[in-house]
Amino acid sequence: MHLLCAHFGIPQENTYAFGDSYNDAPMLRAAAHPYLMSIAPADLKAEFATQIDDVAGVLKTLGH
């Protein structure tokens, strides 16, 4: 994520990430606005407080 932001000139504070599993954790940690899907494991829920239920939640978060 950091490389993409640097390459495209995107400020880190404008980054969003959505994930539901352990493989998404590094991406979620790198984003200024991490969102965890509600189906994620409990220990990830403890780390990432902002959670959403479905794609509609993702779109609402992005303002669509």
Side-chain angles (χ1 to χ4, degrees), residues 38-59:
S38 62
I39 61 169
D43 53 335
L44 286 178
K45 288 180 179 179
E47 182 175 353
F48 301 103
T50 306
Q51 297 168 26
I52 54 178
D53 293 320
D54 53 26
V55 173
V58 171
L59 295 174

Side-chain angles (χ1 to χ4, degrees), residues 21-42:
S21 188
Y22 297 106
N23 65 319
D24 297 320
M27 173 185 65
L28 292 164
R29 289 182 192 111
H33 306 280
Y35 291 87
L36 191 66
M37 302 304 289
S38 62
I39 61 169

Side-chain angles (χ1 to χ4, degrees), residues 1-27:
M1 183 174 291
H2 296 292
L3 291 173
L4 288 171
C5 286
H7 179 77
F8 290 108
I10 299 168
Q12 197 274 336
E13 63 267 12
N14 291 344
T15 59
Y16 291 77
F18 300 88
D20 66 355
S21 188
Y22 297 106
N23 65 319
D24 297 320
M27 173 185 65

